[in-house]
Amino acid sequence: MKKLINEIDNVVDEMLNGMTAAFPNYVKRLEGLEVLVRAGGTEGKVALVSGGGSGHEPAHGGFVGKGMLDAAVAGAVFTSPTPDQVYEAIKAADGGKGVLLIIKNYTGDVMNFEMAADMARDEDIEVDQVVVADDVAVENSTWTTGRRGIAGTIFVHKLAGACAEAGGSLAEVKAVAEKVIANVRSMGMAVDACTVPAAGKPSFDLEEDEIEIGIGIHGEPGVNREKMSTVNEISDKLLAKILAEGIYNEGDEVAVMVNGMGGTPLMELFIANKHVHEVLGEKGIKIYKTLVGNYMTSLDMEGFSITLLKVDDELKKYLDAPADTPAFVQV
Amino acid sequence: MKKLINEIDNVVDEMLNGMTAAFPNYVKRLEGLEVLVRAGGTEGKVALVSGGGSGHEPAHGGFVGKGMLDAAVAGAVFTSPTPDQVYEAIKAADGGKGVLLIIKNYTGDVMNFEMAADMARDEDIEVDQVVVADDVAVENSTWTTGRRGIAGTIFVHKLAGACAEAGGSLAEVKAVAEKVIANVRSMGMAVDACTVPAAGKPSFDLEEDEIEIGIGIHGEPGVNREKMSTVNEISDKLLAKILAEGIYNEGDEVAVMVNGMGGTPLMELFIANKHVHEVLGEKGIKIYKTLVGNYMTSLDMEGFSITLLKVDDELKKYLDAPADTPAFVQV
């Protein structure tokens, strides 16, 4: 597997420097740390801190900026950041009104973010947290107790970020995040696995006519290995499992995200999106807003995930609020 | 090669419908045509029309919107749109102040856009055109007389679009486009070829330790097949050829685009960008703005291109102007 890198051990360091070089008006890197914070700092508002293993770009550093995150911590590829790094992110992001941690549900992430929160509380920083577990594919995984956190996390960044930007208190921002988490579900698939640079080979092997349904975002195999079919049939399967949650019903309004896993042509994501709209339309579920693109990736994995977020007037307001970050700008 | 599609013959049709479903506030499709136009129409300003073969998403439909294009015509995958389709796009986009065609330099595109322009002039629509030929890799190709038009086209959309949005006349908008074209150069590479759906196999084969330097965006092989090396070494080669143009010199200011070819992880694009910044910094070339992402892709090709645009105060003003399109939003 050919990777456009220099040294395997340096990929995260060089990537973060490449991001700050590209977007100096948005993000700066904390010296000696794998942490990106807002270039302009955070004052007078609740700060949002997220992160996790690297390899999910633009998540999470790409979402640091106005209306979304205040800091993002980058672990090694597919590896939780250490408590020390998260702690430094919390300290740097805190603007005096408290810090909300947005954690994707993986055992290592939860443990390390919680340890960091304890360290910060010892210094009298007000810290609270939410855990995103939007992936309906599995109830538990090798890496997770409970469901995994995947692309739905981006909606938590966006909506809780909008509440914080609007001056919400830590409790209010947390309540918005929890409301998003209660109303967001995702499921993904892959036609080809990703290759972690240090591993040098794909994390699982698929035959030329096979796909994996229910993949996560760390190269872990899915729940069903199936024969390749059309993207409509694949989308039907992902949607069926999401809709079986019982959250999205006739007359409801939803935001949709068709998320590429990193190696998927945008053309294919749009074709998938067409069918998602058709299926939801047939069910009388109204689509309020749609995102199509690479938001929460898994290196070079080829595949996509579908995310639905049920929205009411409050969530629509936060969804529509302006944002200005390297990877998500909304007027 | 597994494609997330339904019918090979329907990929462009379904993709366009997937785009309009996703972004109804931005784009609408002309009925029965492979043309996306601004949802709000074009009135009282010069209209910009671009397009080309499909497979380069988000180009060009993703750039239809405020501050960029007024219409985008989508041919079959890697195939020029027909004169009829371009003609309909011109008619639909014309807001009474004339239409500028932005054509990537491929023989078929130039011929078909020019025929369409003649058809529109017969109906007294004022039409002019520019041809983008930013690829320094080859002087001619199987598909082109003269240099190919690739990722630098996005800067033409952005800056000429800003001039049009600001009320520039057709001559003024064309002058800005020509100025961008004179000052923009690009070069690309691939670690793996793309697969056109109808072909079903990669457009060229590379060994596990081989790369192609100087690729185009239609699956055509590059100018040099080389051994895989580090992304720094690869970037050095692309930059050396771009800098040999003599346009970008010590003290100059440039905009940089590190463009993914569709299947390249964002992590790798950022690592490349870090080095591009270092090299230009050493040469005393100041970077005014940087774009990193998938702007002008080639289906699932894995690789990237580097684009430099020399900017003066006028071009900076148009570069910084707000834009609001599906694939490029700037506050």
Side-chain angles (χ1 to χ4, degrees), chain B:
Chain B
M1 194 66 197
K2 289 169 276 189
K3 294 276 176 193
L4 291 163
I5 62 175
N6 295 299
E7 295 287 334
I8 287 171
D9 290 343
N10 293 348
V11 293
V12 175
D13 181 68
E14 294 188 29
M15 172 188 72
L16 292 173
N17 288 340
M19 290 182 80
T20 53
F23 309 116
N25 298 332
Y26 288 100
V27 289
K28 66 180 179 191
R29 183 170 173 180
L30 295 186
E31 201 172 326
L33 297 167
E34 321 283 80
V35 177
L36 297 183
V37 298
R38 283 200 202 190
T42 299
E43 284 299 327
K45 65 177 275 296
V46 171
L48 269 61
V49 175
S50 191
S54 291
H56 306 304
E57 292 69 32
H60 295 273
F63 301 114
V64 172
K66 188 183 162 212
M68 293 184 80
L69 301 179
D70 295 275
V73 198
V77 174
F78 296 166
T79 303
S80 177
T82 63
D84 281 354
Q85 298 264 341
V86 179
Y87 164 70
E88 295 292 344
I90 294 170
K91 274 207 306 185
D94 180 37
K97 294 198 63 176
V99 178
L100 182 70
L101 306 182
I102 299 171
I103 312 169
K104 295 195 300 302
N105 191 35
Y106 295 95
T107 305
D109 282 10
V110 173
M111 189 172 66
N112 291 351
F113 275 74
E114 283 183 348
M115 284 178 62
D118 286 340
M119 292 160 69
R121 284 188 201 105
D122 286 346
E123 300 206 11
D124 294 327
I125 299 174
E126 195 185 4
V127 185
D128 209 335
Q129 68 179 61
V130 295
V131 177
V132 188
D134 56 317
D135 185 355
V136 300
V138 288
E139 294 306 321
N140 294 288
S141 79
T142 31
W143 294 23
T144 330
T145 304
R147 287 176 166 177
R148 303 176 292 209
I150 56 172
T153 308
I154 308 304
F155 281 125
V156 183
H157 295 349
K158 172 68 190 78
L159 281 73
C163 180
E165 207 74 43
S169 68
L170 181 55
E172 288 165 342
V173 174
K174 182 182 179 183
V176 170
E178 294 284 18
K179 187 169 172 180
V180 173
I181 290 168
N183 286 287
V184 73
R185 295 293 185 276
S186 304
M187 187 159 163
M189 62 77 61
V191 296
D192 267 314
C194 59
T195 299
V196 175
K201 61 185 179 60
S203 57
F204 53 87
D205 287 310
L206 287 172
E207 298 296 324
E208 187 49 46
D209 62 346
E210 282 181 338
I211 60 174
E212 283 274 345
I213 300 280
I215 46 96
I217 56 172
H218 298 96
E220 62 269 50
V223 286
N224 290 317
R225 184 158 299 191
E226 304 185 355
K227 289 291 172 192
M228 182 68 187
S229 55
T230 66
V231 71
N232 283 4
E233 290 169 315
I234 294 165
S235 301
D236 283 341
K237 284 177 191 170
L238 303 181
L239 276 174
K241 194 104 161 87
I242 293 169
L243 293 173
E245 295 285 295
I247 297 173
Y248 315 100
N249 299 302
E250 191 172 348
D252 285 344
E253 287 188 271
V254 297
V256 170
M257 178 187 291
V258 177
N259 172 62
M261 302 308 300
T264 316
L266 200 49
M267 168 184 277
E268 299 179 14
L269 301 182
F270 281 120
I271 293 174
N273 180 60
K274 169 181 173 285
H275 190 64
V276 170
H277 276 246
E278 286 166 351
V279 171
L280 295 180
E282 284 161 15
K283 294 186 185 299
I285 299 168
K286 190 180 164 199
I287 298 178
Y288 181 72
K289 193 182 208 90
T290 307
L291 302 180
V292 179
N294 292 306
Y295 292 93
M296 178 72 80
T297 65
S298 184
L299 294 169
D300 54 343
M301 187 152 71
E302 289 179 54
F304 71 108
S305 61
I306 298 171
T307 298
L308 299 187
L309 168 66
K310 186 164 79 172
V311 291
D312 60 9
D313 286 347
E314 182 193 25
L315 294 190
K316 284 188 213 173
K317 177 182 73 179
Y318 293 128
L319 186 61
D320 289 341
D324 193 12
T325 75
F328 186 80
V329 185
Q330 184 169 277
V331 179

Side-chain angles (χ1 to χ4, degrees), chain A residues 78 102 145-146 215 299 325:
Chain A
F78 296 167
I102 300 172
T145 305
I215 45 95
L299 293 170
T325 74

Side-chain angles (χ1 to χ4, degrees), chain A residues 134-317:
Chain A
D134 56 316
D135 184 356
V136 301
V138 288
E139 293 306 321
N140 295 287
S141 79
T142 31
W143 294 22
T144 330
T145 305
R147 288 176 165 178
R148 301 175 292 208
I150 56 172
T153 309
I154 308 302
F155 281 126
V156 184
H157 295 349
K158 172 69 189 78
L159 281 74
C163 179
E165 207 74 44
S169 68
L170 181 55
E172 288 165 341
V173 174
K174 182 182 179 182
V176 171
E178 294 283 19
K179 188 169 173 180
V180 173
I181 290 168
N183 286 286
V184 72
R185 296 292 186 275
S186 305
M187 187 158 163
M189 63 78 60
V191 296
D192 267 311
C194 58
T195 299
V196 175
K201 61 186 180 61
S203 57
F204 52 87
D205 288 310
L206 287 171
E207 297 295 326
E208 189 47 48
D209 62 346
E210 283 181 339
I211 59 173
E212 282 274 346
I213 300 279
I215 45 95
I217 55 171
H218 299 96
E220 62 269 50
V223 287
N224 290 317
R225 183 159 300 193
E226 303 185 356
K227 289 289 173 195
M228 183 67 189
S229 55
T230 67
V231 70
N232 283 4
E233 290 168 316
I234 293 166
S235 300
D236 284 340
K237 284 178 191 169
L238 302 182
L239 277 173
K241 194 105 163 81
I242 293 170
L243 293 172
E245 296 284 296
I247 297 174
Y248 316 100
N249 299 302
E250 191 172 348
D252 286 343
E253 287 188 271
V254 298
V256 170
M257 179 187 290
V258 177
N259 173 62
M261 303 307 300
T264 316
L266 200 49
M267 168 184 276
E268 299 179 13
L269 301 182
F270 281 119
I271 293 174
N273 180 60
K274 170 183 173 284
H275 191 63
V276 170
H277 276 247
E278 286 166 353
V279 171
L280 295 180
E282 284 160 13
K283 293 185 185 300
I285 298 168
K286 189 178 165 201
I287 298 178
Y288 181 72
K289 194 182 206 91
T290 307
L291 302 180
V292 179
N294 291 305
Y295 292 94
M296 178 73 80
T297 65
S298 185
L299 293 170
D300 55 343
M301 187 151 73
E302 288 180 54
F304 71 108
S305 61
I306 298 171
T307 298
L308 299 187
L309 168 67
K310 186 164 80 170
V311 291
D312 61 8
D313 287 346
E314 182 193 24
L315 294 190
K316 284 187 213 172
K317 177 182 74 177

Side-chain angles (χ1 to χ4, degrees), chain A residues 103-130:
Chain A
I103 311 170
K104 296 196 300 303
N105 191 34
Y106 296 94
T107 305
D109 282 11
V110 173
M111 189 171 67
N112 290 352
F113 275 75
E114 285 184 346
M115 284 179 62
D118 286 340
M119 291 160 70
R121 284 187 201 104
D122 286 346
E123 301 206 10
D124 294 327
I125 299 173
E126 196 184 3
V127 184
D128 210 337
Q129 67 178 62
V130 295

